[in-house]
Structures are given as C-alpha cells and as structure tokens.
Amino acid sequence: MAAEASQWVVEDESMADPEEAKVIFCALDSFLQYAKGAHFNCTHLRRQSFYALPQAQWKMLAAPPFNYLETLEKVDSAIDSNAELARAIVSKGLPSFLTPEELAATPEPQLPKQWSGCSKHADIDKARSTLRQFFRDWSAAGKSERDACYGPVLRALKAERASRGTGDEQLKVLVPGAGLGRLVFDLCLNGFSAEGNEISYHQLLASSYILNNCERAGKHTLYPWVHTFSNHKTRANQLRGYSVPDIHCATELADVAKHHPVGEMSMVAADFLCLYGDDEHTETFDAVATVFFLDTAPNLIRYLETILHCLKPGGLLINIGPLLWHFENHAPGNHGYDGDVDGDGDTSGIADPGSFELSDDEVMALVSQVGFVIEERQTGIEAPYIHDTESMLKTVYRASSWVARKPMQKGESQSAPSTR
C-alpha cells in the first residue's frame, strides 16, 4: 500500500475451499461471541461464587474499601468496550466473505445463519488474545515492546540499504507471521516494500480493520488486563484502558510521504511453507524479517530452507525472538492451521508430520548448516510480550537476535559472527 492507496489488500482465495470457509466464519463468529464468553467467565461465575460466601463475608466485601460488586460492574463495562472493537472488526471484514445475495438481504451485513454460533472455545480464546495484541502493536503504551522487537529489524535493514547505495530503489522485505501488521506498516513508512504473510484469520481480519477501515486514531479503548484477577497491585491497574490505534494509518502515510518516499505493502493469507517454497517465489526478496516466528516451526529445517529459497543471493535473514516452541506438546503429524486441525496426513506445509526442538546454540548451528552466513548475533535482549508493567508478575523473554546472509554463490565460506 503506497501513500495514495486506500486498501491493505489481502490476497486470499480460501472461500473456494469449504473447510477454509468454515475456518473464516468461525473466526468472524468468535469475535461476535467474545463478549458473551468474557462476561460469563470473568464476572458471571465470580458473582455466583461471591454470593456463595457467608452473608457476613460478602457484605463485608461489597462495602468500601473493597466494593467487589462495583469492581465486577466495571469489568463488565471494560469487556463491552473491548467488544466494540471486536464487532468493528467483523462489521468491516464480513462483507468480503458474503455473496451479493447475502449482502442485499439485510441493511447491515449479517453472519449467515448456518455460521452463527459456530465458533468453539479455542476460536473465542484466539479472538480474546487477538484483541489483547492491539496493546502491543497499536497502542502508544506498546511502543517499548515494539522498539525492543522491531527496532533491530529496522536498524539492520537501514544499514543494508545504506551499504548497497541503492538510492530510491526499495528493498523488498518479507515478514512471515505478520500478525496485526504493525511491523509491515512501519517498514512501509521507512521506505521498504514490505509483504506480510499470515495464516491466522483472526490476525488477518484484525489487521485489515486497523489498516483499512478504522476511522481515526484513538477510535477504541482497549482493556487488555481485564480478563484476569491475579497479580494486580491495585484494582485500578486491572481496569486500565488504552487508546487504539495510536495512529491513523492513512494519515500517517500521507504525512511521512511529504518528507521522504514511503514503500508499498501487502498481506498474503497462506501457509508460509506452501507459498514461499514454490517456483514463483524463487529469489524474490532482499530480506526476510522473522520476529517471534521461528519457534512456530514444527520443523525448523523446512522454515530455513524456504527462507533461503525465496531470498535473493546476498539477501538477509533478520531474526529476533525466544524459543517457545509452539508445537512442543503436540504429537508429530498433528500440526495444523492455528493448531485446530489434526493434519489428516497432509504434508504440504506446516502440517507436515515430524517435529523437533533445538536450543539457541543449536539453532545457530542449523542456520549455518542450511547455508546461511551468520554476520551478527546478540543474546539476552529483554523482550516483553503484551506485558503489564504494573503487574506483580513479570515475564520477559531474553531473546536472541541475529542477522544471516544468503551467500552470493553456493559454497561461499562463512565468517565468524560478532557476538555481544
């Protein structure tokens, strides 16, 4: 999407597949079901437990300074605010998946009856976690997290651009696992041609809304900590709200374009391995940026080989993230789209049977053996992920960051990495 463009185009032909259509409509329905599930789990069950206390005890907790029932009412209001964002995602995303007849049937787009209520608990949980991710990618308070994780990518790419002396030529960058699209957008702002790849329809729907359809900065108020009652120093901390998005994307692009060229951006909905391992994507990209992505691989060798395949000779793989292996507790062959399907013997992409987990030093050895030349490495980078800084519990990854290059010619000797 260049500055004058109006749409973040998602290339996806999944509606032709009935099974994929089901996944899409379950994702849409899960955003609509978010409020019902959150109210039930966060407040309804707590009210039942509260009134199960001896009367003297619940009356004590209902009065100052506890005001427990008032707290539950405030939690309900916060959930309703989150649900406004969820409904907006559906309102703008749903029409793309309806037939002309379905669009004409009602004044406002409606989920087809056969899909209403189709989402399962896992779908609704993904809707909730997707909403929370707006804190990281699209709130002002999430900037520190973005700086820690996206900063190394931008610095490496700017250094590469400067070393190449390419002038106005845009480096083409692939971001697999693009999530809510903030890194792709930031790359575009900085003059790179960025392509995001994402397999989760929850993430795709949410990113499309915020980049295409959200009317202004601060349109919504997000309450990311409202779903848990643990480890809050004060009740006010649990009920903190954040304005999202922190910027209006079209306005930001137009403003930046007044001072320097911005890039283009696009999003592709597909299995990373299936799409970028094909002949059409041979030696396509100048760089691949993997942020909190490599540990989503059941088979890291296939990930690295696919990246090597789609990089131009001399291209960069820029990585930052921990090693929270997503499929560690899944039996080989049970890797599917978002972990929801059983694989059914499919060996075309991430659902391949077989998996393994490596330590950080073993990952570096594998990167070299696959054919990359490691140029830089840094370990122990503090990288929080949707972290409540006021919580009594602190969980911060100590991430590994490194830059590796695809040799210009096969068999090029490897230089020793600089380790900090």
Side-chain angles (χ1 to χ4, degrees), residues 58 85 120 162 185 238 244 246 253 262 275 355 376:
W58 70 251
L85 173 57
K120 300 178 181 179
F185 181 78
Q238 180 186 11
V244 295
D246 58 319
L253 277 172
V262 298
L275 181 62
S355 65
E376 181 181 339

Side-chain angles (χ1 to χ4, degrees), residues 283-322:
E283 299 182 356
T284 302
F285 297 97
D286 297 290
V288 176
T290 53
V291 178
F292 281 61
F293 176 73
L294 292 185
D295 56 3
T296 68
N299 183 343
L300 182 57
I301 296 174
R302 286 209 61 196
Y303 267 35
L304 293 172
E305 288 177 342
T306 300
I307 293 170
L308 194 71
H309 168 81
C310 70
L311 274 175
K312 297 176 183 177
L316 291 183
L317 168 55
I318 307 164
N319 177 75
I320 182 169

